[in-house]
């Protein structure tokens, strides 16, 4: 690689500053965190990030490659080449052959990231790559760095300094505990460091007070170095720095305090007469401004505070400027910034108008915690009635029921439930108290009077009440009427909310196929609308159906994906989804896992004052304690239920469970019969029937009516999964049903006889492997198989995809050809672990991973199927349904779990197959809507391809879906602006 002279300064470790303060505790922390792939120092300017990184680079025993980023490195290829240049100077003997080859394909920048990381695998030392000035990263270069970090071999590490993490893509590494972040609080001087620093620079008096006033801000402490005789307060430091400015700048600068972010353009737009180049003058005078790129700067809060104090003496001018700032922020789409400006300027009219608009939008997106922040410092008594209703709703949904209660009392007393916002708050409170009829009354009162943006929300609440009241079919009617009207408007958020409600009602009506379809559509539309928090609700319905049908792994994946995308994981909907994770664990007989989740959630429900949820979780904990053979703890939880004044529809079921485990047959019989009449949960109803039938079987009173009800439940769910949950509790029922030929099937968990095993041996056991989704999933006989070790997982995937393989072939593929003895031994351990996992889920009469004729293979006793095989077959036969399933399922993240080069090749091949299938569907699918859907998936898979975006827009135009086409154009325009920093060269109306 040719040396670049212009990079010479960028790859030099900076020299120590004069009177620089050594920071041994931070240096020790950086040294000890050698398992992290990334250490990020994230703080505003003046917190010593570059200084600390320089100290570390000079002190570490590891090899160091330093790179100071520049604006041109926002281009990922420029970043790649500069980093490779720095690595080459640090490790001159390391051949970057893969990287050089990848650079011949410049359009695929992320390939260069993997190639450079792979080249580092050949280094005979561990390298520390230090990237300073990380704020120059933009979305494209951040993606490149994310890929590089994900591929970085063990032992190497990246350290970075940046103003903030806005463009850092580190969520996945954070989830894997491979990131250490040090923020401003970590980098601030300790009191001892501050005093030492001031003493070195000649400040001996009031050092402690000065340090406390500046909260350890290193740059602020530096500003005191020229004033050794007197104590200077933080505001005096800023005043002194400001006093050195030219008079024309100093006189007008307080007006800039109305803006949180400064730029020449923004100040001119407000009519503030600051001299040209004023920002550059501030920087030259040493004032602490954090550059954000593109001419934007964020002033330190000490500066803003001082300027705001000065501006407050000009009340009229301040109010005028804050009003202008609010309108400017509104025009730019920064509604939160606008709200803050109106609040500071005491502009009540605009404040309330925007507050209602914002809270409406946030409630639509289920972002209640954000809405609560907006209302935090406002006295609810000063709000108009609609905003009082919204305030009560938001407080209730964010675990602040006690604070919501006085608002609700005032609204009930005022009898204003014809106001839609008030009706929603009162209905929501009634539902939480189990008062469904009262909730219905409030909703109907508002619907009679309302023609407003809240109509759909009220209809959703009405459908929710109907569903909770056991009137699911009527709720579906309400939802479908609203859906038919919403189709014309093509508002993604409205459609998503209605699809979610349809899924909820369909679930209550046991229409599980409809639930899958509507919940999936709701998730898709919520993501399209950017309302990622709202995905939690349809994810609950979808995971519930997967749980009922025994597809636990899919249900867990849905929950995890939704919680990952959520902004607020403490919202009520997040608690409900976490409870679903506990249910899935319980139904899969992972009782300890369920216990841990239920206990944590119950504590949260208690803190949030959610009585209904608290009581339900108490019952679940009681049962799980019985399952774990901890009866005393189970009884304590049951006493909490029995002592509670609230007796909900589900309490009879848990009372029956207690009586069943305590051997109180008559009590169990009575409570289970009551549960069948009262409980709204289909799971409780089915399990009550099973356990009641066991009680009757023990008494010799089991009849066809009971077993018929169980069989109907199995047919309803399409799975034996819930029956298998209680199989070990109902041996008498199992034996009686088998003796009488009533066809309940084999209860797994009941000890298997030799005859049963012999019968099973005649049939293959289904082994399903899913490679296309967000995770690599393995299902053995419909039960999820957890393979905890990554190499064991990769071995199974290779054998599934390639077929029988020798040990040498497997090591060559999964260890990149490195047949070192340590790898051979680890391979043997991995195979042994894999066999143990496959044999441990259920008794097998064969070796699941035989080694015959020099080859390892998946045993022929398995009926092996993969979603990849199905996609290939559909492509070969031109079968559209199979292609649609494969394209819909493909996510790509699961395949990225395969860390080897073979895994990357497989991921690339699979992606090409999915693209081929999606392309086929765009041209040959049966109808236009399916073609458009396929085109949307193509855009999702390759979002940087301009032509794919244009094809989608044209297809939507052709189908007369103007709103959808405009939405697609907006998405395209955002992509162009984010990736290239400019708007598209043509407008929407120019696309034909």
């Amino acid at each position: 690689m040719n040396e670049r002279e212009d990079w010479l300064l960028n790859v030099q470790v900076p020299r120590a500053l004069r009177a620089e303060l050594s920071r041994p505790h931070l240096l020790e922390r950086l040294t000890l965190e050698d398992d992290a792939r990334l250490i990020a120092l994230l703080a505003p300017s003046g917190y010593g990030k570059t200084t600390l990184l320089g100290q570390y680079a000079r002190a570490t025993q590891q090899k160091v490659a330093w790179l100071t980023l520049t604006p041109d490195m926002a281009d990922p290829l420029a970043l790649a080449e500069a980093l490779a240049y720095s690595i080459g100077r640090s490790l001159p003997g390391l051949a970057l052959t893969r990287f050089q080859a990848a650079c011949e394909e410049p359009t695929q920048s992320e390939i260069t990231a993997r190639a450079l990381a792979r080249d580092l695998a050949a280094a005979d030392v561990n390298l520390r790559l230090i990237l300073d000035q990380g704020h120059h990263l933009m979305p494209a270069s951040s993606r490149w760095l994310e890929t590089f970090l994900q591929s970085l071999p063990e032992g190497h590490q990246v350290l970075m300094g940046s103003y903030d993490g806005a463009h850092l893509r580190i969520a996945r590494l954070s989830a894997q505990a491979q990131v250490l972040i040090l923020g401003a609080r970590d980098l601030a001087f300790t009191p001892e460091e501050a005093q030492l620093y001031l003493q070195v620079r000649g400040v001996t008096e009031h050092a402690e007070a000065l340090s406390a006033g500046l909260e350890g801000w290193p740059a602020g402490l530096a500003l005191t170095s020229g004033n050794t005789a007197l104590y200077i307060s933080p505001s005096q430091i800023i005043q002194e720095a400001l006093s050195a400015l030219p008079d024309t700048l100093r006189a007008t600068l307080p007006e800039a305090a109305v803006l949180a972010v400064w730029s020449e353009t923004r100040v001119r737009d407000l009519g503030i007469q600051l001299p040209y180049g004023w920002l550059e003058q501030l920087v030259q005078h040493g004032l602490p401004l954090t550059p954000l790129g593109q001419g934007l700067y964020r002033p330190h809060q000490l500066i803003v505070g001082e300027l705001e104090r000065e501006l407050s003496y000009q009340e009229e001018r301040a109010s005028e400027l804050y009003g202008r700032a609010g309108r400017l922020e509104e025009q730019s789409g920064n509604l939160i910034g606008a709200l803050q400006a109106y609040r500071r300027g005491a502009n009540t009219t605009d404040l309330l108008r925007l507050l209602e608009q914002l809270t409406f939008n946030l409630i639509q997106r289920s972002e209640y915690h954000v809405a609560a922040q907006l209302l935090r410092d406002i006295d609810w008594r000063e709000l108009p009635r609609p905003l009082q209703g919204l305030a009560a709703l938001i407080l209730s949904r964010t675990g602040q029921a006690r604070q919501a209660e006085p608002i609700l009392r005032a609204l009930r007393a005022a009898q204003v439930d014809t106001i839609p916002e008030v009706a929603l708050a009162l209905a929501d409170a009634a539902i939480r108290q189990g008062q469904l009829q009262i909730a219905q009354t409030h909703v109907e009162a508002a619907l009679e009077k309302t023609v407003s943006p809240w109509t759909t929300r009220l209809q959703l609440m009405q459908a929710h009440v109907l569903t909770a009241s056991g009137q699911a079919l009527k709720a579906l009617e309400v939802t479908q009427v609203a859906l038919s009207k919403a189709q014309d408007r093509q508002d993604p958020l409205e459609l998503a909310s209605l699809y979610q409600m349809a899924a909820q009602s369909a679930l209550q009506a046991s229409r599980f196929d409809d639930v899958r379809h509507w919940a999936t559509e709701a998730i898709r539309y919520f993501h399209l609308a950017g309302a990622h928090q709202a995905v939690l609700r349809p994810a609950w319905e979808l995971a519930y159906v997967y749980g009922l049908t025994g597809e636990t792994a899919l249900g867990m994946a849905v929950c995890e994906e939704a919680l990952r995308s959520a902004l607020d994981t403490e919202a009520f909907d997040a608690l409900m989804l976490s409870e679903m994770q506990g249910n899935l664990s319980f139904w899969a007989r992972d009782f300890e896992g369920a216990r841990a989740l239920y206990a944590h959630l119950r504590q949260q429900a208690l803190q949030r004052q959610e009585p209904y949820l608290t009581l339900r979780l108490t019952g679940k904990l009681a049962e799980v304690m019985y399952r774990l053979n901890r009866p005393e703890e189970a009884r304590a939880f049951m006493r909490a239920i029995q002592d509670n004044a609230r007796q909900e529809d589900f309490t009879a079921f848990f009372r029956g469970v207690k009586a069943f485990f305590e051997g109180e047959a008559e009590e169990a019989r009575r409570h289970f019969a009551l549960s069948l009449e009262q409980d709204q949960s289909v799971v409780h109803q089915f399990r009550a029937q099973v356990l009641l039938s066991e009680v009757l079987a023990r008494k010799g009173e089991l009849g066809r009516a009971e077993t018929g009800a169980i069989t109907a439940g199995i047919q309803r769910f399409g799975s034996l999964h819930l029956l298998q949950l209680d199989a070990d509790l109902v041996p008498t029922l199992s034996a009686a049903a088998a003796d009488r030929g009533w066809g309940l099937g084999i209860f797994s968990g009941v000890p298997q006889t030799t005859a049963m095993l012999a019968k099973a041996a005649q049939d293959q056991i289904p082994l399903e492997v899913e490679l296309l989704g967000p995770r690599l999933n393995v299902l053995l006989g419909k039960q999820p198989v957890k393979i905890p070790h990554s190499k064991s997982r990769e071995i199974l995937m290779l054998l599934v995809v390639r077929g029988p393989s020798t040990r040498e072939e497997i090591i060559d593929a999964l260890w990149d050809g490195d047949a070192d003895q340590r790898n051979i031994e680890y391979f043997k351990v991995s195979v042994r672990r894999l066999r143990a996992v496959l044999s441990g889920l259920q008794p097998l009469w064969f070796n699941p991973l035989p080694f015959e004729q020099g080859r390892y293979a998946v045993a022929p006793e398995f009926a092996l199927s993969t979603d990849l095989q199905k996609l290939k077959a559909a492509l070969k036969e031109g079968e559209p349904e199979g292609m649609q399933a494969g394209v819909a399922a493909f996510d790509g993240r699961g395949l990225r779990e395969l860390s080897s080069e073979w895994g990357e090749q497989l991921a690339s091949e699979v992606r090409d197959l999915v693209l081929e299938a999606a392309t086929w569907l765009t041209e040959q699918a049966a109808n236009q809507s399916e073609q458009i859907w396929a085109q949307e998936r193509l855009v999702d898979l390759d979002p940087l391809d301009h032509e794919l975006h244009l094809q989608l827009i044209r297809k939507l135009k052709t189908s007369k879906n103007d709103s959808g086409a405009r939405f697609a154009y907006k998405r395209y325009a955002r992509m162009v602006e984010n990736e290239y920093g400019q708007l598209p060269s043509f407008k929407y109306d120019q696309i034909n």
Side-chain angles (χ1 to χ4, degrees):
M1 188 179 304
N2 296 326
E3 276 198 1
R4 292 280 300 273
E5 296 297 327
D6 52 338
W7 284 336
L8 280 173
L9 291 176
N10 297 78
V11 298
Q12 299 291 331
V13 176
R15 295 179 180 178
L17 302 172
R18 186 175 63 84
E20 180 177 285
L21 180 69
S22 177
R23 314 200 66 188
H25 71 289
L26 288 176
L27 291 173
E28 181 182 12
R29 188 170 180 187
L30 297 183
T31 302
L32 293 176
E33 288 289 342
D34 56 354
D35 286 335
R37 291 197 192 188
L38 173 67
I39 297 177
L41 313 185
L42 304 179
S45 61
Y47 275 87
K49 300 182 295 296
T50 301
T51 302
L52 178 60
L53 290 174
Q55 289 181 5
Y56 174 81
R58 294 187 294 272
T60 183
Q61 298 300 308
Q62 307 287 358
K63 279 281 189 179
V64 169
W66 181 283
L67 180 62
T68 300
L69 273 61
T70 56
D72 64 303
M73 293 176 198
D75 180 344
L77 291 175
L79 173 63
E81 290 176 358
L83 185 56
Y85 174 73
S86 181
I87 291 170
R89 286 179 59 85
S90 182
L91 302 175
L94 180 65
L96 303 181
T97 52
R98 289 185 176 88
F99 176 72
Q100 290 168 345
C103 286
E104 296 175 4
E105 297 289 339
T107 57
Q108 298 291 324
S109 62
E110 292 182 23
I111 293 176
T112 64
R114 286 190 285 269
L116 185 58
R118 187 137 306 152
D119 282 332
L120 282 171
D124 56 3
V125 295
N126 292 327
L127 185 64
R128 297 294 176 262
L129 298 100
I130 301 181
L131 308 181
D132 194 24
Q133 306 299 314
H135 61 277
H136 290 302
L137 289 173
M138 289 292 113
S141 48
S142 292
R143 281 196 298 273
W144 186 95
L145 183 61
E146 178 191 29
T147 303
F148 178 74
L149 287 167
Q150 286 288 343
S151 308
L152 193 66
E154 185 177 357
H156 301 307
Q157 187 179 69
V158 173
L159 297 93
M160 174 183 284
S162 182
Y163 294 130
D164 57 37
H167 292 306
L168 285 182
R169 298 164 61 91
I170 56 177
R172 186 175 302 168
L173 288 174
S174 298
Q176 298 166 353
Q178 293 183 329
V179 175
L180 170 67
I181 295 177
L182 299 182
R185 189 171 295 177
D186 303 294
L187 298 174
F189 284 166
T190 65
E192 295 76 19
E193 284 180 317
Q195 290 182 53
L196 177 60
Y197 180 80
L198 292 171
Q199 288 168 11
V200 169
R201 297 174 72 92
V203 178
T204 56
E205 296 185 17
H206 307 293
E208 186 175 349
L210 184 59
S211 169
L214 288 167
E215 299 178 346
W217 175 37
L221 290 163
L223 291 174
T224 68
S225 59
N227 298 278
T228 59
L230 300 172
Y231 164 69
I232 303 172
S233 71
S235 61
Q236 287 175 306
I237 292 172
I238 294 301
Q239 288 167 9
E240 181 178 328
L242 291 172
S243 67
L245 297 173
D247 291 343
T248 53
L249 172 55
R250 181 68 185 89
T252 313
L253 188 60
E255 296 187 355
V258 301
L259 290 170
V261 174
W262 289 352
S263 75
E264 300 273 357
T265 305
R266 290 165 68 84
V267 162
R268 279 199 306 273
D269 288 344
L270 288 187
I272 299 173
Q273 301 301 315
L274 284 168
Y276 180 78
W278 64 279
L279 278 166
E280 187 176 346
Q281 291 185 58
L282 295 183
V283 173
Q284 290 172 352
H285 279 78
L287 284 160
L289 306 181
T290 299
L292 304 177
Q294 299 180 339
L296 301 173
Y297 290 83
R298 180 179 289 117
H300 193 282
Q301 191 54 44
L302 285 171
I303 299 176
V304 175
E306 175 59 25
L307 296 179
E308 281 183 332
R309 185 185 66 78
E310 296 176 11
L311 183 62
S312 67
Y313 296 125
Q314 309 172 51
E315 289 186 17
E316 261 186 55
R317 180 63 173 163
S319 180
E320 177 190 357
L321 285 173
Y322 277 121
R324 288 184 193 173
R327 288 186 287 277
L328 180 65
E329 297 291 6
E330 277 200 77
Q331 290 166 10
S332 66
N334 181 10
L335 301 185
I336 301 295
L339 193 71
Q340 291 170 342
Y342 291 143
R343 184 176 290 172
R344 288 176 180 172
N347 189 330
T348 306
T349 302
D350 283 328
L351 174 67
L352 294 178
R353 170 187 58 79
L354 188 55
L355 191 59
E356 186 163 2
Q357 178 186 339
L358 272 170
T359 50
F360 173 80
N361 292 338
L362 290 167
I363 287 171
Q364 291 288 84
R365 301 159 68 89
S366 297
E367 295 175 11
Y368 292 97
H369 269 79
V370 180
Q373 292 297 313
L374 302 182
L375 296 167
R376 184 176 52 188
D377 299 323
I378 297 177
D379 185 343
W380 65 268
R381 286 174 287 264
E382 297 175 2
L383 297 173
R385 292 295 191 196
L387 271 172
Q388 287 182 357
L390 295 183
L393 179 63
I394 290 162
L395 288 169
S396 297
R397 289 296 184 99
T398 53
Q400 302 175 76
R402 185 173 296 169
Q403 292 90 323
E405 189 51 42
I407 310 177
L408 292 168
R409 280 199 301 270
L411 293 174
R412 291 187 191 105
Q415 297 183 349
V416 286
D417 61 356
T418 55
I419 300 173
E421 296 91 334
V422 173
L424 283 171
L426 295 175
D428 184 76
I431 290 170
R432 287 169 183 274
Q433 298 296 322
Q435 300 167 338
L436 299 179
Q437 189 55 52
I438 293 174
Q440 180 73 357
T441 301
H442 289 309
V443 172
E444 288 175 353
L447 279 171
E448 286 179 9
K449 303 284 185 180
T450 298
V451 179
S452 76
W454 291 101
T455 301
T456 299
R457 196 81 190 176
L458 287 164
Q459 289 171 325
L460 289 168
M461 183 70 81
Q462 182 184 34
H464 178 71
V465 173
L466 289 169
T467 301
S469 306
Q471 303 177 66
L473 294 178
K474 189 173 180 181
L476 267 176
E477 289 177 18
V478 171
T479 308
Q480 287 175 321
V481 168
L483 256 175
S484 64
K485 295 178 180 177
Q487 293 291 351
D488 296 333
R489 293 187 287 273
Q490 280 297 302
D491 178 348
L493 199 53
E494 182 182 21
L495 286 170
S497 300
L498 289 166
Y499 277 127
Q500 185 273 324
M501 192 62 245
Q504 182 180 330
S505 303
L507 180 61
Q508 191 67 29
S510 299
R511 291 167 53 171
F512 299 135
D513 287 340
D514 286 338
V515 176
R516 290 173 193 259
H517 169 68
W518 283 328
T520 301
E521 284 294 280
I523 290 170
R524 183 168 75 91
Y525 275 106
F526 276 133
H527 278 313
L528 273 174
H532 306 298
Q533 185 74 26
V535 165
L536 296 170
R537 289 172 289 157
W540 188 95
E541 275 100 30
L542 189 56
Y544 190 82
V545 169
Y546 281 139
L548 292 181
T549 54
E551 299 167 281
T552 305
L554 284 176
M556 282 292 192
V558 167
C559 294
E560 289 168 7
E561 179 63 25
L563 288 168
R564 265 198 301 273
S565 65
L567 301 173
D568 175 16
T569 54
E570 294 185 3
F572 183 78
D573 290 333
L575 295 188
M576 296 292 287
L577 195 58
S578 297
E579 183 191 15
M580 178 52 63
Q581 288 182 300
N583 295 343
L584 292 169
S585 297
F586 183 80
W587 298 341
R589 299 179 63 84
D590 176 10
F591 300 131
E592 182 53 44
R595 183 207 63 77
L597 273 167
Y598 289 153
H600 174 69
L601 292 169
R602 182 174 181 268
Q603 192 62 35
Q604 286 185 283
L606 281 167
Q607 292 171 355
R608 291 169 54 98
Q609 298 179 335
E610 300 283 357
Y612 189 85
L613 181 58
T614 301
L615 200 62
R616 187 169 68 217
L617 288 165
T618 303
K620 291 181 178 183
L621 276 167
E623 180 174 11
V624 87
M625 289 303 184
Y626 276 121
R627 296 282 191 155
L628 292 169
N629 198 27
R630 292 157 65 174
E632 287 304 319
E633 292 169 85
R635 291 172 191 136
F637 283 120
M638 283 308 304
R639 281 195 293 274
I641 288 181
Q642 290 162 346
D643 294 344
N644 195 301
R646 297 175 62 95
Q647 294 300 308
E648 306 293 353
D649 60 314
F650 53 76
T651 53
F653 174 78
F654 292 118
R655 286 173 179 267
V657 167
K658 173 188 178 293
F660 185 90
F661 277 98
E662 299 287 353
E664 301 166 354
E666 286 305 315
E667 279 295 291
R669 182 175 185 169
R670 182 170 68 84
H671 286 302
F672 284 141
L674 195 59
S675 176
L676 288 170
E677 294 176 8
Q678 296 179 349
D679 208 316
Q680 298 296 316
S681 165
V682 293
V683 172
H684 286 172
Q685 288 180 355
F686 177 76
R687 293 189 58 225
Q689 185 65 69
V690 171
L691 296 174
L692 175 60
S693 297
E694 172 67 12
V695 172
L696 295 174
R698 291 176 187 178
K699 296 172 68 69
E701 299 176 9
L702 182 67
R704 280 189 177 274
E706 288 76 27
T707 56
I710 297 172
T711 302
I714 294 169
Q715 292 170 346
R716 182 185 194 185
F717 302 140
S719 167
L720 289 170
H721 189 55
L722 284 180
L723 185 63
Q724 292 164 353
L725 167 62
D726 293 321
D728 59 331
L729 302 180
V730 293
T732 314
L733 168 64
S734 177
D739 290 344
R740 303 179 196 186
W742 287 347
L744 285 181
I746 298 172
F747 288 70
S748 72
V750 177
Q752 297 191 2
T753 65
T754 304
M756 290 165 66
L757 286 174
K759 181 181 184 305
Q762 298 172 9
D763 303 314
Q764 287 185 307
I765 295 178
L767 178 64
E768 299 174 48
V769 179
E770 298 169 350
L771 300 101
L772 301 182
R775 292 199 169 188
L776 298 174
N777 288 322
V778 179
L779 301 171
L780 180 58
K782 299 296 184 184
Q783 294 295 307
V785 179
K786 184 177 181 181
I787 304 174
H789 304 289
S790 60
K791 281 301 177 190
S792 299
R793 204 158 48 240
E794 288 189 53
I795 290 170
L796 177 60
M797 297 304 152
L798 185 141
L799 295 176
V800 164
V801 173
R802 279 193 179 179
S805 303
T806 66
R807 183 177 69 188
E808 291 74 19
E809 289 170 343
I810 296 172
I811 289 176
D812 184 64
L814 302 187
W815 277 267
D816 295 338
D818 185 2
D820 181 87
Q821 186 60 36
R822 289 173 301 176
N823 292 338
I824 293 172
E825 294 302 320
Y826 189 54
F827 164 78
K828 294 176 182 177
V829 172
S830 299
V831 170
R832 187 164 65 244
R833 287 170 170 170
L834 180 56
R835 283 180 178 144
V837 169
L838 293 175
S839 300
L841 195 65
Q842 62 184 72
L844 298 179
W845 59 95
F846 57 88
N847 180 352
L849 216 66
F851 180 68
E852 297 172 355
Q853 299 178 346
R855 292 179 177 273
Y856 291 88
V858 176
E861 287 84 358
F862 289 125
L864 178 62
S865 67
T866 74
D867 49 5
L868 179 57
Q869 288 173 341
K870 294 172 184 175
L871 176 60
K872 287 180 177 178
L875 273 167
K876 183 178 180 180
E877 298 167 11
E879 196 272 299
E881 290 184 2
M883 282 188 263
Q884 285 176 345
V887 171
F890 182 73
D891 181 284
R893 283 173 298 169
L895 287 167
R896 287 200 288 272
E897 294 176 21
L898 306 176
S899 59
S900 62
E901 188 170 355
W902 170 80
E904 292 178 7
Q905 292 171 352
L906 175 64
S908 178
E909 291 168 7
V910 171
R911 186 175 182 277
D912 289 344
L913 285 172
V914 173
L915 287 170
E916 182 184 347
T919 303
W920 188 96
L921 289 167
T922 63
E923 300 167 356
Q924 302 190 50
N927 57 60
Q928 197 174 50
S929 63
E930 290 176 357
Q931 293 176 6
I932 290 172
W933 172 84
Q935 190 69 45
E936 289 175 338
R937 286 294 287 143
L938 277 175
V939 171
D940 291 339
L941 293 168
D942 197 355
L944 301 183
D945 189 314
H946 292 253
E947 188 55 36
L948 293 178
H949 280 277
L950 297 178
Q951 288 171 4
L952 174 59
I953 296 167
R954 292 187 187 107
K955 285 182 182 293
L956 288 165
K957 278 191 164 187
T958 303
S959 69
K960 308 299 184 186
N961 186 351
D962 185 67
S963 59
R966 289 183 183 277
F967 186 87
Y969 177 79
K970 287 180 183 177
R971 180 182 179 188
Y972 169 67
R974 280 197 303 272
M975 182 276 290
V976 172
E977 186 174 8
N978 289 339
E979 294 298 327
Y980 305 102
Q982 62 186 29
L983 295 174
S985 58
F986 46 83
K987 297 187 179 297
Y988 169 80
D989 294 329
Q990 294 174 306
I991 301 174
N992 296 313

